Amino acid sequence: MKQYRIAAFGLGGLLVLLLLLTQFGSRALRNDTVAVELGFEASHSPRAQAFDQFLFEALERGYFGIELRRRLHRPAHTAQLNPFWADTCEVRQLDFERFARWQQRDGAALPDPGALYSSSSGHRIAGLLQSPVSGVNYNAAAAYCAAAGGRLPWAEEWEAMAVGHEGRLYPWGDTFDDSPWPYQSAHRNAAQSCALHPVTTTPEGVHDLAGSVMEWSRGQRSVHPLLRQPGAHGAPAVRAHGRPLYALAAAWLDIEPQTRSHHLGFRCVYQQPAATLPWGAMPKSVAIPAGRYPLGVPPDLRLARIAVLLPAARQRQARSLISQTRGARRMEVSRCEVSRSEYRSFLRHPLVRLGLFANEHEPRWQNYTPQNWEQQLQQPELPVSGIDWWAADAFARWAGGRLPQVEEWQLLAAGPDANPYPWGDDYVVNNAATGDQTEPGPRRCADAVHDSTTNGVYDLAGNVSEWTLSVTAEPGDYAAWVQGGNWLLPGKTTARSVFGRLLPLTHRSDSIGFRVVYD
């Protein structure tokens, strides 16, 4: 009996020693953490607070779809523009009818014989000659403006007309007004005479930029000609919901030039005041002064900037992320992704070998050894990779922490200003270790000095992607969210603060690792 007691005491002492060693190992890992307050700084801008409510309504009612995501994905920037003159009104049906007859008399043919027909309605909108022309494709609209001595506006010029030098949210100001859409019938909203609703008039005297029909532009002048597409600006009358979002001056679409819709018209711009047209009309134009114009979704609309970047599969959980205010969650997070040398300590630990830190649902055949492990150990300072979700989860338990939830990871990467990238608004090739590098490959922590948050957390945009604790039941299997870009993927999309994808829990890759958080 005495021998059993001695053996029990010995075994107990060994377990205590092993637990002390475990605590020592986790304490060493926690020495390289930073304390963070997750969440976005609340906007003090009244216009941003009002817009956030429109955004939440769209998310909750299910109409923040692909079109709005595309329209609002317009990062803030400034453009230096030369002076130009713009039609005060959209081109009317009457004007386009006269243009068409003039071309026929002149022996010229329309770029598209069916330019006055709408592909979406299947009929010509007739009898409303004072309303804006619609159903014309890009080439027909461009031909009209060229014959009038002008051209279609660049996207930057159209937006400058709407926002002015002061950067208005809407052509008339910062407060949404729904009076330009008085009818339930989208056709009636789209077929109204110019300036029927004065609220849409800009301080400079341009009418109907948000109401009436959408308008063609030549696309972004700043984009390479081989990549440039025409644009459709303004709020489509056919959209019964979400008009405060569609009407935003910065919200517009890149569309194919052959598109025709009875909700799409145009106006022209000129290098000098518009003159009498060859077919007898005399358009009114207004001067748009030169200068620098603030374009894109304004920086104070932080939540909109994040919402448009969320993967489609995360849209249902969008509010849980973007409603987070600063200080909503506090925790410690690893400054760096877990390194190969740290992971080696985990593999060598006796209690790990005994399965003490295994997830209760872990497969029996689970092996924590990373793929290409011997090769990885040749550079032990680099982040570990080639491990599946089960191994990352077990390591986090051994370290006394856990993997981050997907929302926590996104909040950490976006920072208090809701940045599209951890460092700011724009993608910069050399800021992170992505596949865009001339010599792609994983790097030591902090080698990419710009890939860091204001708290000093590194490599959230690149290096290796990271497993999170967020698991979902996919058809036939379980999958977890993997966040961030990596050294194999092109970075412009994958380096974004909210970029992620679902992968099976057993998936292994040379470009996926993890980091640990502590409550």
Side-chain angles (χ1 to χ4, degrees):
M1 192 71 174
K2 185 176 181 180
Q3 292 177 337
Y4 289 121
R5 289 177 181 173
I6 293 174
F9 279 121
L11 182 59
L14 179 60
L15 289 174
V16 169
L17 178 61
L18 291 174
L19 288 172
L20 289 174
L21 289 174
T22 300
Q23 290 180 352
F24 177 78
S26 64
R27 189 178 298 114
L29 287 170
R30 293 195 68 162
N31 287 337
D32 199 25
T33 62
V34 293
V36 297
E37 289 187 356
L38 300 180
F40 303 142
E41 293 283 4
S43 176
H44 300 295
S45 163
R47 70 177 191 172
Q49 292 172 358
F51 194 83
D52 289 347
Q53 294 308 308
F54 297 137
L55 181 65
F56 286 143
E57 180 180 355
L59 289 166
E60 290 169 350
R61 296 191 178 183
Y63 49 80
F64 191 79
I66 294 175
E67 183 182 353
L68 271 176
R69 284 159 56 89
R70 288 175 57 200
R71 283 176 170 273
L72 292 172
H73 189 199
R74 301 291 172 188
H77 63 287
T78 58
Q80 178 68 45
L81 301 180
N82 295 323
F84 62 96
W85 278 258
D87 286 338
T88 58
C89 292
E90 294 158 329
V91 173
R92 301 174 301 173
Q93 290 191 43
L94 177 62
D95 300 326
F96 200 89
E97 291 271 11
R98 289 173 175 172
F99 161 68
R101 288 197 297 269
W102 170 79
Q103 277 207 322
Q104 291 169 354
R105 286 197 303 268
D106 199 43
L110 278 171
D112 178 358
L116 288 179
Y117 290 82
S118 168
S119 59
S120 59
S121 65
H123 70 276
R124 179 174 173 176
I125 301 175
L128 297 169
L129 297 182
Q130 298 300 318
S131 64
V133 65
S134 61
V136 295
N137 65 19
Y138 174 82
N139 290 330
Y144 178 98
C145 289
R151 57 176 171 79
L152 290 172
W154 292 108
E156 291 92 339
E157 292 172 329
W158 194 100
E159 196 174 335
M161 284 189 277
V163 303
H165 285 299
E166 65 269 36
R168 303 180 293 264
L169 291 186
Y170 304 101
W172 54 84
D174 287 338
T175 304
F176 179 71
D177 191 315
D178 62 0
S179 60
W181 302 274
Y183 303 116
Q184 301 249 332
S185 166
H187 297 276
R188 295 182 70 191
N189 280 323
Q192 301 180 61
S193 300
C194 179
L196 190 62
H197 303 286
V199 69
T200 65
T201 302
T202 71
E204 294 76 26
V206 183
H207 307 300
D208 300 326
L209 285 171
S212 201
V213 293
M214 294 184 293
E215 300 179 18
W216 281 108
S217 81
R218 303 173 74 181
Q220 289 178 290
R221 188 173 186 176
S222 57
V223 172
H224 191 281
L226 295 178
L227 302 175
R228 186 183 299 143
Q229 277 191 299
H233 300 252
V238 72
R239 300 289 179 260
H241 303 292
R243 282 186 178 143
L245 309 183
Y246 285 106
L248 195 71
W252 60 277
L253 281 172
D254 299 288
I255 60 172
E256 296 295 331
Q258 64 269 24
T259 303
R260 286 185 294 177
S261 166
H262 57 293
H263 296 291
L264 179 59
F266 67 98
R267 76 179 72 222
C268 306
V269 299
Y270 315 87
Q271 296 306 116
Q272 55 189 3
T276 302
L277 303 181
W279 45 91
M282 179 62 188
K284 294 181 180 179
S285 60
V286 62
I288 307 298
R292 293 184 67 80
Y293 287 84
L295 308 180
V297 175
D300 58 332
L301 303 189
R302 297 170 181 165
L303 304 189
R305 293 161 62 203
I306 285 293
V308 298
L309 299 177
L310 282 172
R314 294 293 301 168
Q315 282 295 306
R316 292 180 181 177
Q317 293 80 28
R319 177 146 191 167
S320 67
L321 171 67
I322 66 177
S323 63
Q324 297 289 338
T325 56
R326 184 70 167 160
R329 302 186 194 180
R330 294 178 174 84
M331 64 184 187
E332 290 184 40
V333 60
S334 299
R335 187 174 65 90
C336 302
E337 294 160 327
V338 172
S339 71
R340 297 167 182 178
S341 62
E342 291 168 337
Y343 195 84
R344 178 172 55 191
S345 299
F346 162 72
L347 286 180
R348 289 176 172 175
H349 200 281
L351 294 185
V352 172
R353 296 179 180 179
L354 291 174
L356 202 64
F357 302 99
N359 188 295
E360 61 180 321
H361 302 293
E362 184 177 290
R364 292 182 180 178
W365 44 262
Q366 178 63 35
N367 184 349
Y368 296 152
T369 303
Q371 60 186 16
N372 304 319
W373 184 227
E374 293 301 322
Q375 182 180 349
Q376 288 195 51
L377 286 176
Q378 294 176 17
Q379 294 177 289
E381 73 282 2
L382 297 183
V384 68
S385 60
I387 47 97
D388 60 18
W389 184 90
W390 300 107
D393 179 62
F395 180 99
R397 293 165 182 263
W398 171 77
R402 59 176 174 83
L403 298 175
Q405 296 281 355
V406 62
E407 290 88 357
E408 293 171 335
W409 198 102
Q410 292 170 334
L411 289 167
L412 177 67
D417 295 326
N419 287 322
Y421 299 95
W423 54 79
D425 288 325
D426 302 313
Y427 178 64
V428 181
V429 170
N430 294 321
N431 275 13
T434 68
D436 298 330
Q437 303 291 298
T438 54
E439 297 182 6
R443 299 181 180 181
R444 292 178 301 176
C445 178
D447 272 4
V449 294
H450 297 291
D451 187 1
S452 65
T453 68
T454 55
N455 303 103
V457 180
Y458 288 93
D459 298 324
L460 291 163
N463 217 15
V464 292
S465 300
E466 301 177 16
W467 288 110
T468 73
L469 194 61
S470 299
V471 176
T472 183
E474 290 295 289
D477 200 357
Y478 285 91
W481 282 96
V482 173
Q483 293 299 123
N486 61 58
W487 61 273
L488 278 175
L489 297 176
K492 188 168 185 178
T493 297
T494 64
R496 289 173 180 162
S497 304
V498 293
F499 176 79
R501 61 272 194 212
L502 282 167
L503 291 174
L505 302 186
T506 55
H507 181 80
R508 295 178 180 228
S509 168
D510 290 338
S511 59
I512 299 178
F514 67 103
R515 76 179 68 229
V516 181
V517 301
Y518 303 88
D519 295 309

